[in-house]
């Protein structure tokens, strides 16, 4: 009663305020327009870019139905009130114009500057002009269960309604269970109502309660293996006229799938390590012999022992935490990653450090009793230091991890040094500076590719014997310098310089960079200083020091390819704070097992494996075979072909 009495008291007060406002409008004429109280006007939201014109005020305000113009009628009799009569005359002479105002769509019959406190819900008929009259929808049902339902429906109808000869079934009720459906049918010619049929397979969890549908987990497994999120997946289903799952259901299933994918990736890493130990025993080595790695700045470690270069360790730095950001926005003193339901594993203010990445990867390898003695990285990487600290902390304080130079990055450094080198003016032919600069770029590419090809041929010829390779390097460098100088003689034929002398078998005819610019034997005119400069540039890759830094002629190409694969699972224009590690683990599975094997393993681990003779497996095999065919065509006929 107190609340009701209080509301009535406020109502009376508002009515008195309105009466007082009307009396002021009657007594003060046009000056009453400045005294409009926002609390007494209808709720509205006024925007810019419109015009409102105001005339002299009447005794009582009368608003028109237009949102852009309203007029106030002047009082009829002002005799005896000279001040008001004078003010009325001034208001009549000066017409007030209010420009740059636009009223909101929900305030068509009022023109005030009051904000819209309770906006009305927009109508749902704004799409009617683009929609069809006939409503058609698709449902995802299990084929065998659908046939079983039809047979069971006919038998049950025959037993319960034997007099109904020709039934006509109709859907009474359907219940959505993600992408699965539960149907209940009835006969329109009799009173027969069937039982509820589940038209989806269930995952056997071993727990009581309703079971999850296999199609839901299979669909979410496909989503995390693509570069789309739940919103895009819902849009994809809607475009196919299939009612999508709710966002909460999709997120919950995605969380469960990603957790299982992370465990599966960890088991795969353990299996790769076990394969190493069996390989060492087969070769007569100690099963715990150290391994060689290649690492990159993205937190990926691949083995350099086999040609597959499988991923045996990765660490993903995640600073995204929606829960922490929401709590901090509400005023709570929360820091990630030290609160409940936190998805981040690093503080948001900590810098990204390659050394920390190497340390985390080293700790994961140490749990598997795996030692690392050599690690190939690019020139400015610090991950080897963190890897060595982890090995020293867990295994041996005196253990050292030797860093090896990447051959590809060393070639890029060689190319940049050639561009920065100051050759003589007559070294490169050309009438203009631009032409000479183009030939210099072609020469830099040629020197880089030729050095890489020579070193690769030496490793293949001597089977990686560094002593034999080091004996050949000084003679090879001098022969290459003579070849670029135009003295392509017997020195090229009897040493590995990729040049056999002559005309058609010379390097000048084989090289794409030189022949594309019309350069022939003798086109370059180096002087003594230029020859010394070319010799020093070749020694960046063809010298004893470079050989010690590239002992096994390894590179980080696999890490670079894994980085591109992860970017498809974790695109930069989307944030997956909760399931970032799960998607990265799916990428690791795809790299180590190929797409078809990885998907089959993931579906089996989730609980919705594929059938041996299903058409889905046939389509998956065709997809993978087409990928292999495209790769083979590119290798044989060149990289200019596109798939």
């Amino acid at each position: 009663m107190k609340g009701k009495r209080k509301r009535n008291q406020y109502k009376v007060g508002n009515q008195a305020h309105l009466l007082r406002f009307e009396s002021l409008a009657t007594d003060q004429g046009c000056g009453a327009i400045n005294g409009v109280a926002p609390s007494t006007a209808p709720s509205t939201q006024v925007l810019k870019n419109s015009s409102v014109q105001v005339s002299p005020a009447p005794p009582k305000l009368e608003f028109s139905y237009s949102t852009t113009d309203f007029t106030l009628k002047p009082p009829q009799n002002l005799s005896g009130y000279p001040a008001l009569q004078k003010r009325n005359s001034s208001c009549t002479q000066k017409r007030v114009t209010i420009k740059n105002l636009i009223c909101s769509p929900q305030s068509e019959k009022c023109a005030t500057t009051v904000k819209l406190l309770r906006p009305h819900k927009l109508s749902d008929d704004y799409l009617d002009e683009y929609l069809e009259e006939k409503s058609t929808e698709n449902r995802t049902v299990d084929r065998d269960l659908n046939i079983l339902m039809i047979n069971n429906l006919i038998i049950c109808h025959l037993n319960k309604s034997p007099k109904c000869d020709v039934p006509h079934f109709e859907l009474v009720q359907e219940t959505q269970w993600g992408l699965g459906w539960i149907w209940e049918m009835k006969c329109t010619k009799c009173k027969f109502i069937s039982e509820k049929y589940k038209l989806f397979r269930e995952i056997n969890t071993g727990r009581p309660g309703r079971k999850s549908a296999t199609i839901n987990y299979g669909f979410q497994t496909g989503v995390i293996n693509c570069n789309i999120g739940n919103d895009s997946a819902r849009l994809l289903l809607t475009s196919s006229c299939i009612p999508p799952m709710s966002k909460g259901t999709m997120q919950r299933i995605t969380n469960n799938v990603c957790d299982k994918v992370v465990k599966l990736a960890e088991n795969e890493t353990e299996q790769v390590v076990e394969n190493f130990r069996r390989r060492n025993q087969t070769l007569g080595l100690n099963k715990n012999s150290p391994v060689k790695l290649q690492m990159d700045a993205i937190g990926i470690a691949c083995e350099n022992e086999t040609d597959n270069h499988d991923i045996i360790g990765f660490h993903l730095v995640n600073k995204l935490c929606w829960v922490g950001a929401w709590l901090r926005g509400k005023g709570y003193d929360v820091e990630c990653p030290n609160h409940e339901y936190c998805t981040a594993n690093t503080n948001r203010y900590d810098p990204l450090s390659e050394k920390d990445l190497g340390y985390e990867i080293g700790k994961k390898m140490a749990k598997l009793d795996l030692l690392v003695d050599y690690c190939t990285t690019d020139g400015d990487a610090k991950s080897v230091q963190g890897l060595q600290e982890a090995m020293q902390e867990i295994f041996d304080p005196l253990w050292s991890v030797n860093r090896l130079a990447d051959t590809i990055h060393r070639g890029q450094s060689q190319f940049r040094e050639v561009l920065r080198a100051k050759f003589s003016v007559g070294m490169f032919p050309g009438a203009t500076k631009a032409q000479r600069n183009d030939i210099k770029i072609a020469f830099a590419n040629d020197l880089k590719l030729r050095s890489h090809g020579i070193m690769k041929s030496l490793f293949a010829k001597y089977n990686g014997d560094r002593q034999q390779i080091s004996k050949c390097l000084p003679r090879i460098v001098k022969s290459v310098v003579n070849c670029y100088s135009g003295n392509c003689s017997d020195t090229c034929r009897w040493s590995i310089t990729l040049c056999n002398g002559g005309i058609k078998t010379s390097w000048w005819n084989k090289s794409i960079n030189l022949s594309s610019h019309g350069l022939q034997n003798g086109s370059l005119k180096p002087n003594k200083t230029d020859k010394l400069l070319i010799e020093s540039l070749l020694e960046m890759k063809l010298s004893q020091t470079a050989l010690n830094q590239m002992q096994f002629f390894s590179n980080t190409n696999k890490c670079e390819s894994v980085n591109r694969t992860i970017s498809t699972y974790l695109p930069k224009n989307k944030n997956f704070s909760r399931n970032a590690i799960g998607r990265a683990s799916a990428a690791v599975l795809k790299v180590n097992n190929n797409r078809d094997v990885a998907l089959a393993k993931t579906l089996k681990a989730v609980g919705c494996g594929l059938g041996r003779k299903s058409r889905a497996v046939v389509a998956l095999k065709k997809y993978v075979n087409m990928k292999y065919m495209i790769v083979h065509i590119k290798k044989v006929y060149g990289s200019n072909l596109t798939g």
Side-chain angles (χ1 to χ4, degrees), residues 410-477:
R410 179 60 63 90
Q412 294 294 334
S413 301
Q414 192 178 24
F415 172 76
R416 290 191 293 268
E417 289 296 328
V418 174
L419 293 182
R420 283 194 289 263
K422 295 182 179 180
F423 294 99
S424 61
V425 179
M427 168 77 176
F428 303 105
T432 62
K433 184 177 180 181
Q435 293 178 356
R436 291 192 295 268
N437 191 28
D438 291 341
I439 295 176
K440 184 178 181 180
I441 295 174
F443 175 73
N445 274 316
D446 183 78
L447 190 141
K448 178 190 72 172
L449 295 176
R450 190 171 186 178
S451 301
H452 183 80
I454 290 172
M455 186 63 74
K456 187 176 181 180
S457 301
L458 289 173
F459 269 86
K461 180 179 180 179
Y462 297 106
N463 198 16
D465 189 354
R466 294 193 297 274
Q467 292 183 357
Q468 295 291 334
I469 294 173
S470 60
K471 294 179 181 179
C472 302
L473 289 178
R475 184 175 69 254
I476 291 175
V477 171

Side-chain angles (χ1 to χ4, degrees), residues 4-55:
K4 188 174 182 181
R5 189 181 301 116
K6 199 170 186 179
R7 287 194 297 271
N8 293 335
Q9 181 181 357
Y10 288 152
K11 186 182 295 184
V12 172
N14 290 335
Q15 291 176 356
H17 186 72
L18 286 172
L19 293 174
R20 192 181 305 113
F21 171 72
E22 291 179 0
S23 63
L24 286 174
T26 304
D27 295 340
Q28 297 181 5
C30 68
I33 190 65
N34 297 326
V36 176
S39 60
T40 63
S43 298
T44 184
Q45 182 179 2
V46 183
L47 306 174
K48 294 185 177 180
N49 297 327
S50 178
S51 61
V52 178
Q53 295 180 348
V54 182
S55 3

